[in-house]
C-alpha cells in the first residue's frame, strides 16, 4: 500500500502547539509527513522545509496552521503543488483566503486536520 502524504504548513517545534500535534498524529497514523516552517531545521525528527516549494514531491494533502494574513501570499505556491486537499484548520480562513483558493481551484476543507486523520495502519 502506498503511503499517504501530507505537508503541515506552519509546523512548530513546540510540542504544545496544534501544528506539532498534527505532525505527530499523522506520523503515528503511518503517513509521510513534510513539516514546513522557514525557521525550523527539524521537527519531530523530520527534515523541515522552509517553504512549500522546497518539498521534494507533491503531497496529497496540505494542512495549514497559519493566520490568513500569512496564508494568503502562499496560496499560489500551494496550488502549484496540486494537492488533492487543502485543509484550513480553525483560525486560518478568511473571506479573502477562501476567494483566492476558489480562484486557484483548490479543494478546500475547513476542519481540524488532527481530528480527521485517517490511519494508514488498519
Amino acid at each position: 500500500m502506498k503511503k499517504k502524504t501530507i505537508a503541515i504548513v506552519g509546523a512548530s517545534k513546540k510540542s504544545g502547539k496544534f501544528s506539532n500535534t498534527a505532525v505527530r498524529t499523522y506520523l503515528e497514523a503511518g503517513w509521510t509527513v513534510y513539516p514546513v516552517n522557514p525557521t525550523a531545521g527539524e521537527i519531530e525528527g523530520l527534515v523541515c522545509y522552509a517553504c512549500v516549494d522546497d518539498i521534494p514531491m507533491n503531497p496529497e494533502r496540505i494542512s495549514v496552521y497559519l493566520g490568513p494574513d500569512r496564508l494568503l501570499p502562499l496560496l499560489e505556491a500551494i496550488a502549484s503543488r496540486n494537492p488533492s486537499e487543502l485543509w484550513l484548520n480553525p483560525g486560518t480562513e478568511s473571506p479573502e483566503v477562501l476567494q483566492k483558493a476558489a480562484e486557484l481551484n483548490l479543494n478546500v476543507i475547513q476542519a481540524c486536520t488532527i481530528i480527521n486523520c485517517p490511519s494508514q495502519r488498519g
Side-chain angles (χ1 to χ4, degrees):
M1 176 168 63
K2 181 183 166 206
K3 281 184 107 173
K4 296 272 189 181
T5 57
I6 185 169
I8 308 288
V9 179
S12 176
K13 292 180 104 169
K14 297 177 184 175
S15 63
K17 298 280 190 173
F18 287 122
S19 59
N20 181 278
T21 301
V23 170
R24 288 183 281 115
T25 299
Y26 277 81
L27 275 174
E28 290 167 9
W31 289 57
T32 299
V33 179
Y34 299 97
V36 179
N37 181 320
T39 63
E42 180 181 295
I43 293 177
E44 297 299 324
L46 301 172
V47 171
C48 187
Y49 298 90
C51 64
V52 172
D53 292 331
D54 293 342
I55 300 170
M57 52 81 65
N58 289 342
E60 297 165 63
R61 180 179 284 187
I62 295 179
S63 177
V64 179
Y65 287 90
L66 298 174
D69 56 328
R70 292 178 57 203
L71 170 57
L72 193 58
L74 302 178
L75 284 174
E76 289 190 24
I78 288 170
S80 75
R81 300 318 300 258
N82 198 29
S84 298
E85 302 170 340
L86 172 61
W87 284 68
L88 299 180
N89 290 279
T92 63
E93 72 281 357
S94 72
E96 296 80 13
V97 165
L98 295 173
Q99 179 180 344
K100 182 69 172 179
E103 291 169 7
L104 294 167
N105 294 314
L106 289 164
N107 178 25
V108 172
I109 299 166
Q110 295 181 69
C112 177
T113 308
I114 299 165
I115 294 171
N116 294 286
C117 176
S119 175
Q120 287 271 113
R121 296 202 172 121

